[in-house]
Amino acid sequence: MSENLLRSGDAAYKPAMNGFLLVAAGGAIGASMRHGAGLAALRIAPGTAWPVVTFSVNLLGSLAMGLLIGWLAHRTSGGQGLRLFFATGVLGGFTTFSAFSMEIAGMIERGDVLKAAAYAVVSVILGLGAFLVGLFAMRGLIQ
């Protein structure tokens, strides 16, 4: 390959690679926080019937996402990198929607259909509510 092609490609490659690195670094932090929450729950409340950790992490993550998005909406610079690191990385690694889906499927397989439905509905409604609380709280603080 010619040296000119490599140079022109580098300009487009670096911002994309920086974005991946920001997401990866944030994701490692978020996933570690999620793992820590799971370990703490095992010590505090072993064997609970309700998926307390996933439920709590998703609500807390939704609240944090609302606060973050509300704050980022008022920034004039640096928003993209912060969004990639915190929203996609940290909070994406911290919240556990895939685990949420797996737990609902497990409840259904065990015959706990009403519990599965309640868990799904309550998680989505309260998660959305937590996001809106965070968003409006941050808007109130910034304005």
Side-chain angles (χ1 to χ4, degrees), residues 9-72:
D10 284 348
Y13 176 76
K14 285 181 184 177
M17 184 49 107
N18 288 340
F20 278 105
L21 293 174
L22 287 170
V23 170
I29 292 167
S32 296
M33 290 170 35
R34 169 65 176 92
H35 179 64
L39 291 177
L42 285 174
R43 290 180 183 224
I44 296 168
T48 60
W50 187 265
V52 176
V53 176
T54 303
F55 184 74
S56 302
V57 163
N58 283 339
L59 292 180
L60 183 58
S62 293
L63 175 63
M65 186 70 81
L67 291 168
L68 176 66
I69 297 304
W71 179 69
L72 286 175

Side-chain angles (χ1 to χ4, degrees), residues 39-121:
L39 291 177
L42 285 174
R43 290 180 183 224
I44 296 168
T48 60
W50 187 265
V52 176
V53 176
T54 303
F55 184 74
S56 302
V57 163
N58 283 339
L59 292 180
L60 183 58
S62 293
L63 175 63
M65 186 70 81
L67 291 168
L68 176 66
I69 297 304
W71 179 69
L72 286 175
H74 292 286
R75 292 186 51 87
T76 57
S77 65
Q80 178 68 2
L82 292 171
R83 185 188 62 76
L84 288 173
F85 179 77
F86 286 110
T88 306
V90 174
L91 293 175
F94 181 63
T95 60
T96 54
F97 205 79
S98 58
F100 166 77
S101 299
M102 180 184 69
E103 288 165 347
I104 290 173
M107 289 177 189
I108 292 169
E109 286 180 347
R110 289 189 302 276
D112 293 331
V113 176
L114 290 177
K115 186 188 291 182
Y119 178 52
V121 169

